[in-house]
Amino acid sequence: MKKENASLYWTVALYLALSTICVSANKLYPKYSDVEDTTVENKLVAYYPCLNLPDSQTLARSHPIAVISGKADYRLTFDIVPTGYTYYWGNILHFTTVNDWTDFGSRSPALWFWPGTTRLFATIGDSTNYLWGLDTTDALPLNVRTEVMIECKGKDVKLTVGTRVYTATQPTVRYAGNLIVYASDPWYEAAKASLYYIDYEILPTAAAAVNADEVE
């Protein structure tokens, strides 16, 4: 079997296995398909507890932690403690359909540290530019816990890093559909850091989502 085919089969098998259950802190949570959208204006629609980490976790390359049904409007929050630098891009979290960047939804979202620093870069993804996202200006302090939040609602995209807030306007629409969640992914060196929790909240829809098969 060719190496690339073996990798694809492994990914599909992993995807199917993770879509059945999510295990965290010795608790069994429902499949993502069992989490229903109960839209209430200005309130949380759905919440994925399977993305919670029971305590701090050091990032590791090619480490899937969940499979979820992602939506266009969501809020992602986590705490991070950088402990060092990487020579190349250091991946933190990567929500993907399967690939690194070549498909719509392959970075929905994904976050890295810039090479040789702890400055964050976040890819949100767009139907016209799969690599669209937000950059930051300040490096995070080493060995200090910082809260990070990405909030996407309609055309409004906000990245909050500690007390700094970065905003952008979505060019068109974001992906909605099944996503594998890595902490960190197989394509980049893992960032030298620990995460303390990961919360993914689905927000009331403010703009129509687009599934991958609807984009030519």
Side-chain angles (χ1 to χ4, degrees):
M1 181 183 293
K2 293 183 178 180
K3 183 178 180 181
E4 56 268 23
N5 289 337
S7 178
L8 176 60
Y9 294 150
W10 180 90
T11 300
V12 172
L14 173 66
Y15 183 91
L16 293 174
L18 286 174
S19 66
T20 303
I21 59 172
C22 291
V23 179
S24 175
N26 298 318
K27 295 181 180 179
L28 191 65
Y29 293 103
K31 296 183 296 181
Y32 63 78
S33 58
D34 293 335
V35 182
E36 297 182 357
D37 288 354
T38 54
T39 304
V40 178
E41 186 176 2
N42 296 325
K43 291 187 178 181
L44 173 68
V45 177
Y47 170 65
Y48 288 92
C50 61
L51 293 187
N52 273 336
L53 302 180
D55 201 344
S56 64
Q57 175 173 312
T58 301
L59 295 172
R61 187 168 186 171
S62 194
H63 183 201
I65 61 172
V67 173
I68 66 169
S69 180
K71 302 297 183 181
D73 293 341
Y74 63 88
R75 181 186 297 115
L76 171 67
T77 60
F78 60 91
D79 280 5
I80 187 168
V81 178
T83 57
Y85 309 103
T86 56
Y87 179 77
Y88 192 50
W89 293 90
N91 183 247
I92 300 166
L93 282 170
H94 195 149
F95 291 62
T96 177
T97 50
V98 171
N99 300 313
D100 173 21
W101 64 273
T102 54
D103 303 307
F104 182 43
S106 55
R107 295 184 177 184
S108 295
L111 297 100
W112 290 263
F113 284 142
W114 277 81
T117 183
T118 57
R119 182 161 65 93
L120 275 172
F121 178 77
T123 300
I124 306 299
D126 186 81
S127 65
T128 59
N129 180 1
Y130 307 158
L131 306 181
W132 181 83
L134 295 89
D135 201 358
T136 63
T137 57
D138 298 332
L140 301 186
L142 292 178
N143 303 310
V144 174
R145 185 165 167 167
T146 301
E147 183 180 47
V148 177
M149 179 184 72
I150 295 176
E151 183 171 290
C152 300
K153 189 172 179 63
K155 293 287 187 179
D156 298 326
V157 177
K158 180 171 66 174
L159 170 63
T160 304
V161 183
T163 59
R164 293 295 302 269
V165 178
Y166 305 86
T167 60
T169 301
Q170 188 80 32
T172 58
V173 292
R174 291 176 295 276
Y175 171 84
N178 296 338
L179 293 167
I180 303 171
V181 184
Y182 286 100
S184 62
D185 69 28
W187 303 286
Y188 298 86
E189 185 177 353
K192 293 182 179 179
S194 294
L195 298 183
Y196 276 78
Y197 65 82
I198 308 170
D199 289 338
Y200 184 94
E201 303 173 10
I202 294 175
L203 303 176
T205 301
V210 173
N211 289 305
D213 57 4
E214 296 176 11
V215 177
E216 297 181 357

